[in-house]
Amino acid sequence: IYLNGHIDVPQDRIADVEAALPMHIELTRAEPGCVSFEVVPSTQVEGRFKVAELFVNRAAFEAHQERTKSSKWFKVTEGIPREYEIREGE
């Protein structure tokens, strides 16, 4: 499962998002089935973070989605606009 897209963080929330991001990345990369996980600031749009995820299968991806619902990252980013494309394939 591939996920690509971005999250547009309002200026007044960037510090909180940046503070929560390292742990979010660490926990996600440690999940069974996570092949790669990147969240990096855009060099073109202020407040935008580009997201690229790869999981071995839908079950691993869905487990990641479930885990994040009880994470600090979920609380810190709640309500922030996201634009993602999710696709399956090789």
Side-chain angles (χ1 to χ4, degrees):
I1 300 290
Y2 298 87
L3 180 147
N4 288 288
H6 62 267
I7 177 172
D8 287 327
V9 181
Q11 192 64 38
D12 64 335
R13 295 176 69 180
I14 287 180
D16 290 338
V17 168
E18 288 178 336
L21 185 55
M23 181 59 67
H24 179 55
I25 291 171
E26 181 180 331
L27 291 172
T28 300
R29 288 179 178 169
E31 292 174 7
C34 177
V35 176
S36 66
F37 185 80
E38 299 290 331
V39 181
V40 296
S42 169
T43 58
Q44 297 153 350
V45 179
E46 188 174 344
R48 178 169 287 178
F49 290 79
K50 296 191 235 175
V51 180
E53 305 177 9
L54 175 59
F55 289 86
V56 295
N57 56 33
R58 179 152 301 274
F61 177 73
E62 289 176 359
H64 164 69
Q65 295 295 311
E66 262 320 294
R67 182 199 60 80
T68 61
K69 289 179 183 175
S70 62
S71 71
K72 181 177 181 177
W73 175 256
F74 184 83
K75 292 177 183 90
V76 166
T77 62
E78 192 168 17
I80 295 177
R82 293 162 164 83
E83 189 172 313
Y84 296 142
E85 175 186 346
I86 299 169
R87 65 183 175 83
E88 293 188 53
E90 299 197 20

